[in-house]
Amino acid sequence: MKTGGQQGASRDWIHLQRDGETGIESVHAHFCGHAYDPHDHDEILVGVTQQGLQRFNCNRSLHTSTPGRAILIEPGAVHDGHAPHAEGFTYLMLYLPQAWVAEKLARRGLGDVSALQAAFKYTLTDDSFLNNAIVQAFAAIHHGEGRLARDQTLDHLLALLSKHICTRPQSVYSDAASQMLRVRDYLHDSMALDIGLDELSRYAGVDRFRLTREFKKAFGLSPHTYLVRLRLRTARTLLAQGFKPALVATQVGFADQSHLGRWFQRAYRLTPAAYQRQCANAQ
């Protein structure tokens, strides 16, 4: 099944599968020109460029992936995507839930590798063994080769992936950074509400202009952009669980279903209904 990113008006397509037992999503896609607006994920992303040049911003740097290179993106890392050449690019990607990865790697003695405590050493790597492991695990999941094939290829992938993880030391936050962590937590708790900058400013006890500066310094995003990304990630999770798009829009704080749809398609190049349909077909 192929889904046109522009309702069939271009050569772009996305094919998505979701493994119900592990929660892992596999995405196979092709884009010409613009692919994605800046967005992030709750999951750990591991993928491979199959054809063309895949260019994207991530971790405040511009990256260009070529066929055979592995792409490693940690949860919360904002990234976009576009094709610098007319023929576009094709890639495959696995979206690995944080809790699933942490549990598996903890068995290997690596401890907690959640988004706040671990990152990849490099966004792109030419590790051919890891590349092959990603392709094999993707094939097992995406093409439904069975649980044994899935489990063994994923174990092999994680064994190789663990070598690319750099565990971060526990941070000692400044007063300003701790203040922005509280603001971030407030956004999470109040995600469904129509929050204004003055309200955030009163909560933080600083003026709105300093708040925006400090928040960008701490998280690389404005409070509004962070809130939109949070709502999109949460919406994606709820849609995969089968909740209707109109209800999801209300629960995460978008004005209505069309408001959710506009942001969702810009970030993921699928409508909420199309994403949910592909998840349901994969179950």
Side-chain angles (χ1 to χ4, degrees), residues 38-45 57-60 72-80 95-96 98 113-116 118-120 168 184 188 218-221 225-226 229-230 233 268:
H39 65 287
D40 59 352
H41 296 270
D42 283 330
E43 299 88 356
I44 295 168
L45 274 56
N57 290 282
C58 185
N59 292 320
R60 306 185 187 186
L72 308 175
I73 300 177
E74 53 273 280
V78 178
H79 56 284
D80 56 13
Y95 293 42
L96 308 175
Q98 290 184 64
V113 290
S114 66
L116 294 180
F120 289 117
R168 297 170 180 165
R184 181 201 63 183
H188 281 251
F219 302 108
L221 303 168
T225 303
Y226 184 93
R229 304 287 172 253
L230 171 63
R233 295 197 308 268
Y268 305 125

Side-chain angles (χ1 to χ4, degrees), residues 261-281:
R262 289 193 298 273
W263 280 105
F264 199 90
Q265 190 155 17
R266 285 171 58 182
Y268 305 125
R269 290 301 292 273
L270 287 168
T271 66
Y275 170 73
Q276 189 172 63
R277 186 164 55 249
Q278 294 202 35
C279 287
N281 289 342

Side-chain angles (χ1 to χ4, degrees), residues 54-229:
Q54 182 173 0
R55 187 163 292 167
F56 60 98
N57 290 282
C58 185
N59 292 320
R60 306 185 187 186
S61 297
L62 181 64
H63 305 275
T64 300
S65 183
T66 54
R69 303 196 83 180
I71 303 169
L72 308 175
I73 300 177
E74 53 273 280
V78 178
H79 56 284
D80 56 13
H82 70 278
H85 294 165
E87 66 269 20
F89 65 88
T90 308
Y91 73 101
L92 56 83
M93 187 76 71
L94 290 173
Y95 293 42
L96 308 175
Q98 290 184 64
W100 182 86
V101 172
E103 189 271 331
K104 297 298 182 185
L105 291 183
R107 294 183 182 183
R108 299 177 179 273
L110 293 177
D112 184 4
V113 290
S114 66
L116 294 180
Q117 295 168 310
F120 289 117
K121 297 176 183 177
Y122 305 102
T123 301
L124 294 176
T125 175
D126 294 311
D127 183 339
S128 60
F129 296 104
L130 178 62
N131 181 301
N132 290 334
I134 294 172
V135 172
Q136 290 169 4
F138 177 89
I141 293 174
H142 202 71
H143 301 300
E145 294 181 0
R147 296 172 66 188
L148 188 58
R150 178 200 66 190
D151 294 347
Q152 290 192 336
T153 56
L154 285 173
D155 282 356
H156 180 53
L157 169 60
L158 290 178
L160 296 176
L161 192 63
S162 64
K163 301 174 184 178
H164 293 266
I165 292 175
C166 179
T167 303
R168 297 170 180 165
Q170 292 289 341
S171 299
V172 178
Y173 296 107
S174 66
D175 290 343
S178 297
Q179 196 173 43
M180 291 306 104
L181 286 171
R182 292 194 297 272
V183 172
R184 181 201 63 183
D185 292 343
Y186 183 79
L187 289 175
H188 281 251
D189 293 339
S190 309
M191 175 178 58
L193 303 179
D194 185 11
I195 305 169
L197 197 54
D198 286 335
E199 179 181 346
L200 282 180
S201 176
R202 287 193 297 272
Y203 178 80
V206 298
D207 70 77
R208 56 193 290 173
F209 302 104
R210 180 184 168 194
L211 170 65
T212 299
R213 288 197 307 271
E214 292 294 339
F215 197 91
K216 281 186 174 180
K217 182 178 178 181
F219 302 108
L221 303 168
S222 70
H224 174 253
T225 303
Y226 184 93
L227 180 60
V228 171
R229 304 287 172 253

